[in-house]
Amino acid sequence: MGRTRAASDTTPGAGTRPWSPGPVVVGILNVTPDSFSDGGDFLDPEAAAVHAATMLDEGAGIIDVGGESTRPGSDPVSQEEEVRRVVPVIERILASRPEAVISVDTYRSKTAAAALGAGARIVNDVTALRGDPRMASVVADARCPVILMHMQGEPKTMQMEPHYEDVVGEVKAFLGLKAENAIAAGVSQENIIVDPGIGFGKNLNHNLALLRNLEVIVDLGFPVLVGASRKTFIGKITGAEDAGERVFGTVATTVLAYEKGVTLLRVHDVRANREALAVADAVLHASRL
Ligand code: HH2
């Protein structure tokens, strides 16, 4: 496993997935003033493009560009403002790094369409196509991969009192159903990625149960993405109140998730997670060396 970036996966059955085989680090780029960790750092398109280039150099296979924070308690922004934030950044990244694989973190079809028009190749929808009735057809028409994420409630209130009888079973059933719905709407099966939505309407025990049982989600048969990076539950365990101090805890989640079959890891700290994955991959799959 070297640092080759984003070669298309040509293994049988992989369809046209625009990322390398093996574990893929998805580097987070929030073009927002209020994201819980990097809010305000990359509002300037130039600063955002420089950070994307750094993440690509550190081994990110995908850059996930978002224009609206979905942290607990966050307020939505207008669709126009979201496009104003993400499109110039996507254009700027691709002008200097045309090979970069970019996903757009949005649940709005117009933003997704604008981002795809600017060269993004993946849609990351935290509402699993529930947020906008036109999103499924935008994704189906673009024939692009789509990330379907589980969330209980909505960002403004989701952490107030999350409740499940069986969090793992319910998240699995939800993702299976949303994948079926997407396929019925014309999205090709091989373009579906599922995500248990760590921290989205989940308390500490819910997050831990999901991370402990990720093989159940992998069992659905789709590539799985996990986004635990720097999230509050890590701080609750380690005592790191500052999100930037949660890198080591994040790396633990990355390695454990990969061992359970998760192949896409959405993180802020690309190098730390990439190196941990390279070692994990060498231990688990020595034949790749
Ligand atoms: N987490 C966040 C945002 N988007 N998308 C997916 N698929 N999975 C996730 O776990 C996920 C996500 C929240 O983290 P972050 O982008 O760092 O913060 P904010 O929402 O405050 O911008």
Side-chain angles (χ1 to χ4, degrees):
M1 232 187 53
R3 286 202 171 180
T4 45
R5 279 185 299 273
S8 288
D9 186 345
T10 51
T11 51
T16 53
R17 287 171 191 157
W19 59 80
S20 324
V24 177
V25 173
V26 180
I28 299 171
L29 186 57
N30 285 316
V31 191
T32 59
D34 56 344
S35 288
F36 80 94
S37 179
D38 56 353
D41 291 352
F42 309 116
L43 262 177
D44 167 41
E46 192 51 43
V50 168
H51 186 56
T54 302
M55 291 196 287
L56 290 166
D57 289 340
E58 289 178 345
I62 299 171
I63 303 293
D64 188 38
V65 179
E68 176 180 301
S69 173
T70 45
R71 76 181 153 71
S74 60
D75 286 312
V77 296
S78 72
Q79 190 265 318
E80 292 77 12
E81 174 62 15
E82 192 184 27
V83 169
R84 263 198 300 279
R85 290 179 185 175
V86 299
V87 166
V89 169
I90 293 168
E91 289 171 345
R92 197 72 72 105
I93 296 169
L94 291 173
S96 56
R97 306 294 287 261
E99 82 289 1
V101 178
I102 297 177
S103 61
V104 60
D105 186 348
T106 187
Y107 54 86
R108 295 189 180 96
S109 61
K110 283 189 179 166
T111 305
L116 292 167
R121 290 199 251 167
I122 301 170
V123 173
N124 174 20
D125 184 349
V126 297
T127 72
L129 307 179
R130 295 175 298 164
D132 180 333
R134 285 180 291 278
M135 184 64 118
S137 64
V138 166
V139 170
D141 291 350
R143 299 174 183 275
C144 66
V146 60
I147 300 161
L148 305 175
M149 197 197 78
H150 175 273
M151 167 165 38
Q152 185 180 86
E154 48 191 61
K156 190 82 189 156
T157 51
M158 66 190 176
Q159 289 308 101
M160 284 178 181
E161 228 172 304
H163 176 78
Y164 302 84
E165 296 298 325
D166 163 17
V167 65
V168 178
E170 288 170 47
V171 169
K172 179 180 184 175
F174 171 92
L175 293 174
L177 183 64
K178 295 303 147 196
E180 267 176 37
N181 292 349
I183 291 165
V187 177
S188 110
Q189 175 150 350
E190 66 198 14
N191 276 335
I192 291 174
I193 298 161
V194 294
D195 176 350
I198 299 298
F200 283 86
K202 282 129 193 149
N203 64 26
L204 174 61
N205 286 331
H206 298 144
N207 288 322
L208 295 179
L210 283 164
L211 290 169
R212 194 179 305 117
N213 293 284
L214 281 169
E215 70 278 8
V216 174
I217 308 299
V218 170
D219 228 36
L220 284 166
F222 302 102
V224 178
L225 180 145
V226 162
S229 188
R230 298 187 182 181
K231 284 185 177 169
T232 303
F233 81 97
I234 293 175
K236 283 193 180 149
I237 297 166
T238 64
E241 281 177 29
D242 183 63
E245 298 294 321
R246 297 176 189 154
V247 184
F248 306 111
T250 300
V251 167
T253 65
T254 290
V255 172
L256 289 164
Y258 182 55
E259 213 240 331
K260 288 182 174 288
V262 170
T263 51
L264 296 137
L265 291 309
R266 182 183 182 276
V267 298
H268 300 84
D269 306 283
V270 171
R271 184 175 166 207
N273 287 281
R274 180 75 191 152
E275 291 190 2
L277 279 169
V279 174
D281 196 42
V283 171
L284 294 168
H285 309 285
S287 60
R288 288 223 185 101
L289 283 177

